[in-house]
Amino acid sequence: MKDESCIFCKIANGEIPSSTIYEDENFRVILDLGPASRGHALILPKEHFADVCALPDGWAAKVLPLGAKIGAAMKKALGCTGFNLVQNNGVSAGQTVFHFHMHVIPRYDGALSIVSWEPGKASPEELAELAKEIKDAL
Ligand code: AMP
Ligand code: ZN
């Protein structure tokens, strides 16, 4: 299913041109217009799913192997020594385009960290309580 008002539906299906690095019957992988690093790519399903919660299992199962394949190619082609697979869900998580996508971000030696945080503190009691709350919602 496509969403007529969704730019990533149009890009994924070739209605809007993009710098495509990979395509198969289900996915198109393009270069990000606002790259976090040289070669930053986006894996786009050709059907519209708003986020990972809407992505059917069969589609989801294909995304991680594709991310690994693209990341491995980046290491060969670009000289990056690693890559981040990043996937934002919801405004609070930084999602700005509401068509599922996985970022593949090449990482180069000496560059600043992109995906990092200051570790907080949590007591065993807090962790146990949190774990129960989440488990009960599964
Ligand atoms: P997110 O913040 O996870 O929703 O990521 C959206 C990403 O899409 C950002 O990194 C944008 O730079 C990128 N982006 C938005 N529009 C386009 C476009 N037309 N072509 C390529 N990348 C895009
Ligand atoms: Zn879409």
Side-chain angles (χ1 to χ4, degrees):
M1 196 84 139
K2 322 272 181 296
D3 177 335
E4 289 306 318
S5 63
C6 172
I7 186 165
F8 278 7
C9 278
K10 292 193 171 80
I11 293 174
N13 289 283
E15 291 161 38
I16 293 179
S18 62
S19 302
T20 295
I21 59 176
Y22 173 89
E23 184 180 4
D24 64 25
E25 60 172 336
N26 300 123
F27 295 94
R28 180 185 295 269
V29 184
I30 65 165
L31 292 182
D32 196 297
L33 270 186
S37 71
R38 184 171 160 266
H40 181 169
L42 300 171
I43 298 175
L44 310 179
K46 291 186 176 181
E47 290 195 26
H48 184 84
F49 307 108
D51 61 17
V52 75
C53 298
L55 192 69
D57 290 355
W59 288 78
K62 292 177 180 155
V63 174
L64 212 50
L66 184 51
K69 184 185 173 87
I70 299 295
M74 286 170 167
K75 285 171 75 175
K76 264 201 227 164
L78 303 178
C80 58
T81 48
F83 59 94
N84 294 116
L85 296 177
V86 178
Q87 203 276 307
N88 300 326
N89 298 284
V91 173
S92 61
Q95 186 176 9
T96 58
V97 181
F98 295 86
H99 173 123
F100 173 92
H101 51 281
M102 173 86 83
H103 297 260
V104 188
I105 307 176
R107 303 307 313 280
Y108 299 90
D109 286 345
L112 285 178
S113 174
I114 296 171
V115 185
S116 65
W117 55 86
E118 204 57 50
K121 285 202 168 68
S123 66
E125 296 75 24
E126 263 180 279
L127 293 179
E129 199 176 311
L130 271 171
K132 182 176 175 346
E133 281 178 41
I134 299 169
K135 264 166 40 183
D136 288 350
L138 287 173

